[in-house]
Amino acid sequence: MERTYIMVKPDGVERGLVGEILKRFEAKGYQLTALELMHPTKEHLEEHYCDLKEKKFFPGLIQYMLSGPVVGMVWTGKEAVKTGRKLLGETNPLASLPGSIRGDFAIDVGRNICHGSDTPENAEKEIALWFPRGVKTLKREKGIDALIYE
Ligand code: GTP
Ligand code: MG
């Protein structure tokens, strides 16, 4: 079953949006597989965003991500990566439709509340980076299994 790494960024934690974001992924039907409040180091964040290190906004992005704790989570279910990004909205919140998290709660690309993996391969890399002790996907009870995994 596909997994994705979703992270509430420091502005999302500070604004009290953790519950709102959890609620949307739960309501959609994804299984919460891991969840942790973390204080990542600069080196850890540089590794997470290594594909962007040549971008002009990279130092500002790292500074923003260091401005407070983040909440890392793993969600499991059908097309979790693609649908997870739909729930988040576009990178630029102004281009995000209302109904998405960024569309409902943000206006600034540099303060866009949340992160979502962009491919299943990157999701597995990110899960290994953020949850190095491993993540266990619990088997659901029969009734819920039928609903989620059919
Ligand atoms: P993530 O889910 O956070 O990875 O966002 P994304 O996949 O939608 O976008 P991308 O990976 O290209 O960029 C990572 C993050 O860098 C974005 O979420 C923004 O916070 C930030 N970012 C991207 N483009 C810009 C930009 O043009 N200016 C600024 N200030 N930040 C940017
Ligand atoms: Mg990205």
Side-chain angles (χ1 to χ4, degrees):
M1 190 55 63
E2 191 168 292
R3 309 190 295 181
T4 189
Y5 177 66
I6 301 293
M7 174 166 54
V8 186
K9 296 178 178 180
D11 54 331
V13 176
E14 192 178 334
R15 291 176 56 194
L17 293 171
V18 175
E20 178 68 36
I21 293 167
L22 280 169
K23 190 178 85 176
R24 291 179 182 218
F25 277 82
E26 282 187 322
K28 183 69 178 165
Y30 288 112
Q31 181 186 1
L32 180 60
T33 309
L35 174 75
E36 193 175 329
L37 182 89
M38 308 186 212
H39 294 81
T41 62
K42 185 165 183 273
E43 291 69 33
H44 188 100
L45 290 163
E46 285 171 350
E47 174 69 24
H48 172 77
Y49 279 128
C50 61
D51 292 349
L52 300 174
K53 62 174 181 284
E54 304 305 330
K55 300 279 185 191
K56 232 176 82 186
F57 60 80
F58 186 75
L61 171 62
I62 299 298
Q63 202 180 4
Y64 156 50
M65 292 298 298
L66 279 169
S67 66
V70 300
V71 173
M73 27 184 146
V74 178
W75 291 92
T76 303
K78 267 188 277 183
E79 299 193 11
V81 169
K82 192 169 90 186
T83 310
R85 283 176 71 90
K86 271 194 201 154
L87 291 176
L88 299 190
E90 302 296 320
T91 307
N92 181 354
L94 294 180
S96 299
L97 290 175
S100 66
I101 293 162
R102 289 165 176 165
D104 285 346
F105 298 112
I107 51 175
D108 190 340
V109 70
R111 293 286 181 277
N112 62 358
I113 301 177
C114 44
H115 159 81
S117 307
D118 56 3
T119 63
E121 295 71 34
N122 283 340
E124 291 305 318
K125 274 192 219 163
E126 291 172 3
I127 291 167
L129 177 68
W130 289 90
F131 292 96
R133 282 167 295 164
V135 165
K136 192 169 167 191
T137 305
L138 297 174
K139 192 95 182 84
R140 291 214 184 222
E141 292 305 316
K142 223 176 176 181
I144 298 174
D145 258 350
L147 183 69
I148 304 267
Y149 296 129
E150 70 187 1

